[in-house]
Amino acid sequence: MSRSEEEYRKFVGSRAASLHRTAYLLCGDWHLADDLVQETFVHTLRHWRRVERADNRNAYVNRILINEFKRHWRRYGRLPVRTDIDRPEVAVPDVSDEVVNRADLLRALLTLPARQRATVVLRYLEGMSERETAAVMRCSEGTVKSQTARALNTLGGCLKPKESPL
Amino acid sequence: MNSPTEQRVGAAFRDLVAEQPFTPDVSAIEQRARQARRRHRMVQGGIGAGVVAVAAVTAVSVASSVPATPARPAQAGGAHAVTVHPSGRSNTHASASSSASAATPQPLVQLAAVLAAEPQPKGNATLVERETTLAGQATVKVWDLYTDDGRYFFSQTESGLPAQVQEDNNQGNGIFAREIAAAEYAVTGNLDTAALKMAWAANTTPPPAWITDQVKDISAGGLQIDNYVWENSEDALTAGAGNPQVRAGVLRLVSILPGVTVTHGTVDGQPTLTLTAGAAELGGSGGAGGSSYQEATTINAETGIPLKFTGGPASGPPDTTVIWKLTRVTLADIAAGKF
């Protein structure tokens, strides 16, 4: 195995779980998330030299994932949001149910327009700054702000009231 | 991430995705990447040899394949005649531009002019039977109902649609209404303004400077605005398919996208135009995400009604095929189950 191949495999290993989580929140389906991440890594490998040279590899690969997701959304985005959301088989403590109706939140997330959805997932799951998100989304920081505000307005309805949405 | 709401959304997101195991199949990834590279090389290599070898064939196909080229005189010219396609059809289309454009008026603009003069059809909504086929998978048929004012109702079954209307389960989110409005504006309005309206239709905020600035350079291609106009125009074409004004506006807008090519053909005996997007229209100008993907929408050449969408690799069969069948209806009839 060449050094480049080794580097690539290391990169896949280090990024797979995070990309998988992001993909799930983008599409709402674990199986589809598997496919999106697999396809993202295919593109990453095809452009590996470019990825290696990128200032921020993670941002570059997130961009590829977002492209894959948008492509999918373009084709099937209007299929209904699933109400029988597959829960992970691994038991998860419902800590957030104190303040959030989880199924409603996911449903609301999946009804957001693709750009808004990607923006809030990058901001609040990946923890990206507005500047990083803008770089991945190829838009201005102002757009990130406005997309985020609108998305939070929608998602805020799923947070049980102790405060106003924003 | 400072506000309590943002912190709670972040925590809820992390909770939603907790503990789901995933191991990528690296050998499958590597094999897919190798296949893609090989296919890319074959396409690239084949083009050079093919240009000479199939010159006679090209001469025939040229007559029925022309670039979309712009409707605006100010932007018409050389930039469009040298449109380069990922599939390497640039020679064919460059030739088409010079040999066919004199004899054949721009098909999209010509059709748009015909449609713009058509009266509004009866009814106030369009029912779309949408059949999606994914490569190697079963076909899925669903029903979309688009009202003329931009509302959108969806059902997996035909019989389920009345309930969606009765419950006013509008899933349009205002975006279709704005896309339709942009297309209607494009029929007689300034195309730069129309392009901006269409590109920014997903937003309710004023368009920012970065996209406003791109309008004046749209004929150069390779801009984000190409992608935004193409994607939103595709939406408008299906959401407003029942309205000839919307179809006319979409065709005028697509005609200014420099990467789009138009090919004449037939489907089930109907004359058709197939609008194939270039790399910039698909957001691939930056290279990330792969440039071999191609999208095409086929419309009836006389009515502009969308018939088919295909998406997939530039060479080989499409990954996705969508067939649309349209019927004009009234919302009241659908709610009452009379259709």
Side-chain angles (χ1 to χ4, degrees), chain B residues 108-119 244-245 248 301-303:
Chain B
L108 299 186
V109 178
Q110 189 185 40
L111 178 55
V114 172
L115 296 177
E118 283 191 8
Q245 300 294 313
E302 292 170 350
T303 65

Side-chain angles (χ1 to χ4, degrees), chain A residues 1 39 67 71 89 96 99 123 128 142 147:
Chain A
M1 189 188 302
E39 203 56 30
N67 278 346
R71 193 170 292 168
E89 289 177 9
S96 68
V99 289
R123 291 277 287 116
M128 287 188 177
Q147 295 277 303

Side-chain angles (χ1 to χ4, degrees), chain B residues 4 43 63 87 98 109 116 134 141 222 229 232 260 262 301 320 325 338:
Chain B
V43 171
S87 61
S98 55
V109 178
L134 308 180
K141 193 185 285 186
V229 170
N232 294 344
V260 173
V262 181
T320 310
K325 289 179 186 163
K338 295 180 193 167

Side-chain angles (χ1 to χ4, degrees), chain A residues 28-71:
Chain A
D29 183 301
W30 286 113
H31 300 299
L32 179 56
D34 293 355
D35 293 345
L36 288 175
V37 175
Q38 281 280 128
E39 203 56 30
T40 296
F41 282 136
V42 170
H43 286 301
T44 303
L45 181 54
R46 288 189 63 197
H47 302 285
W48 181 238
R49 279 187 198 166
R50 209 179 292 166
V51 176
E52 280 187 306
R53 286 199 300 266
D55 292 337
N56 185 339
R57 288 182 187 180
N58 291 345
Y60 194 101
V61 174
N62 268 318
R63 175 69 204 164
I64 295 176
L65 174 66
I66 297 290
N67 278 346
E68 283 302 314
F69 157 67
K70 282 168 73 178
R71 193 170 292 168

Side-chain angles (χ1 to χ4, degrees), chain B residues 91-116:
Chain B
N91 288 344
T92 300
H93 289 285
S95 302
S97 176
S98 55
S99 65
S101 60
T104 311
Q106 302 310 326
L108 299 186
V109 178
Q110 189 185 40
L111 178 55
V114 172
L115 296 177

Side-chain angles (χ1 to χ4, degrees), chain A residues 8-9 20 38-39 45 67 71 74-76 78 80 88 96 102 113 124 138 147 150 160 163 165, chain B residues 4-6 8 15-16 20 22 25 29-30 32 37 134 146 154 203 224 234-235 288-289 293 320:
Chain A
Y8 171 77
R9 290 193 175 195
H20 192 234
Q38 281 280 128
E39 203 56 30
L45 181 54
N67 278 346
R71 193 170 292 168
R74 272 290 311 142
R75 296 174 209 165
Y76 322 115
R78 287 171 223 149
S96 68
R102 194 161 48 187
Y124 302 124
R138 289 190 189 154
Q147 295 277 303
R150 290 168 61 201
K160 290 184 180 170
E163 61 168 25
Chain B
T5 297
E6 289 175 301
R8 287 160 70 196
D15 180 51
L16 278 168
Q20 180 71 5
F22 171 67
D25 184 344
I29 290 169
E30 290 174 347
R32 286 258 297 113
R37 279 188 191 132
L134 308 180
Y146 298 99
F154 170 85
N203 305 275
Q224 276 164 294
E234 279 201 314
D235 274 350
Y293 176 75
T320 310

Side-chain angles (χ1 to χ4, degrees), chain B residues 223-297:
Chain B
L223 301 169
Q224 276 164 294
I225 195 169
D226 300 341
N227 176 230
Y228 288 16
V229 170
W230 167 258
E231 291 200 348
N232 294 344
S233 292
E234 279 201 314
D235 274 350
L237 188 60
T238 44
N243 182 344
Q245 300 294 313
V246 174
R247 302 197 299 270
V250 166
L251 296 182
R252 290 198 80 213
L253 278 171
V254 171
S255 77
I256 66 171
L257 296 176
V260 173
T261 55
V262 181
T263 309
H264 290 271
T266 55
V267 170
D268 295 335
Q270 300 178 64
T272 59
L273 298 173
T274 296
L275 287 50
T276 303
E281 281 77 22
L282 300 179
S285 57
S291 58
S292 64
Y293 176 75
Q294 194 168 69
E295 268 183 20
T297 296

